[in-house]
Amino acid sequence: MESTEHSGRRQTATERRRRELLEAAERIVLRDGPDASMNAIAAEAGITKPILYRHFGDKGGLYRALAVRHTDALLANLATALDAPVLRRDRVEATLDAYLLAIEARPQVYRFLMHPSDEDNASESGFDVGRHSAPLLRRLGEELAKVITDRLDLGPGGELTARVWGHGIVGMMHGAGDWWLRERPCSREQLVKQLADLLWGQLAAVDDRTDGPGF
């Protein structure tokens, strides 16, 4: 029977190898955006494509792993903005800016994760980024809803209101950010202010929860 210690070492080595493969995939995504292929990723990692499939199953599996990696990082940045010791309006602007800065800093990664159709990327193994991006947005919406629930006193039915607001804000950030990244009609700072103005009516009116960290 395999010892627990040996099993733990093997799991750690597998996790380390998986992380290395994800880093290789990121390098190719940064170079090729939505056109990143499993062949190119395998070559970058110095392995064959069947080995890459062994770790991730298919391009959809690799996509989901990259999505989790980048969503985790984005949520950490959003949490930092929400926890800043500043006025609520400034925290709203900082949170919007954290999202826009993330997509501006790594536009190829953003396009790979979120931009499905413009570049005919539904090719390899029938993979379609658009089919996979909705769960990522839903996760962001649910996580933001939890933050709103914990921080704002929304009264009876507050949990539902928080989910409506969470998904609505994520949808707004995604839609406006996608348009802005493509057309660059204004500065990031201008877009942040305009979006914050749009949100500010309800967010300015509601009180913080007495037992929460504040919004």
Side-chain angles (χ1 to χ4, degrees), residues 34 116-117 119-129:
S117 59
E119 298 167 45
D120 191 28
N121 51 14
S123 54
E124 187 171 334
S125 301
F127 181 75
D128 177 6
V129 175

Side-chain angles (χ1 to χ4, degrees), residues 6 24 26 28 38 41 61 85 113 116 122 134 140 153 162-163 168 170 174 185 188 191-193 198 201:
H6 180 71
E26 281 194 10
I28 296 302
M38 296 292 273
I41 292 167
L113 292 177
L140 287 175
D153 183 3
R163 294 186 73 193
V170 167
H174 171 58
R188 194 176 79 241
L191 182 61
V192 165
K193 185 179 185 308
L198 180 62

Side-chain angles (χ1 to χ4, degrees), residues 77-205:
N77 290 339
L78 296 179
T80 297
L82 287 164
D83 288 334
V86 294
L87 296 174
R88 184 187 293 180
R89 167 72 189 219
D90 294 328
R91 285 200 297 274
V92 171
E93 291 192 7
T95 303
L96 292 167
D97 192 57
Y99 176 84
L100 294 171
L101 179 60
I103 68 174
E104 182 182 39
R106 309 188 88 184
Q108 290 288 65
V109 174
Y110 168 77
R111 291 185 181 106
F112 177 80
L113 292 177
M114 302 299 298
H115 214 286
S117 59
D118 285 2
E119 298 167 45
D120 191 28
N121 51 14
S123 54
E124 187 171 334
S125 301
F127 181 75
D128 177 6
V129 175
R131 183 165 56 87
H132 295 273
S133 61
L136 191 160
L137 290 172
R138 283 197 296 270
R139 181 186 171 200
L140 287 175
E142 289 295 329
E143 292 293 338
L144 185 54
K146 290 176 188 175
V147 170
I148 292 170
T149 299
D150 290 343
R151 293 166 184 259
L152 297 180
D153 183 3
L154 298 176
E159 185 176 342
L160 175 59
T161 300
R163 294 186 73 193
V164 171
W165 288 13
H167 288 283
I169 291 169
V170 167
M172 182 194 73
M173 289 194 303
H174 171 58
D178 189 81
W179 163 75
W180 171 77
L181 192 64
R182 179 189 298 273
E183 297 191 12
R184 295 302 180 105
C186 60
S187 69
R188 194 176 79 241
E189 292 75 15
Q190 287 175 301
L191 182 61
V192 165
K193 185 179 185 308
Q194 293 280 353
L195 294 179
D197 285 345
L198 180 62
L199 290 172
W200 189 236
Q202 286 295 319
L203 288 176

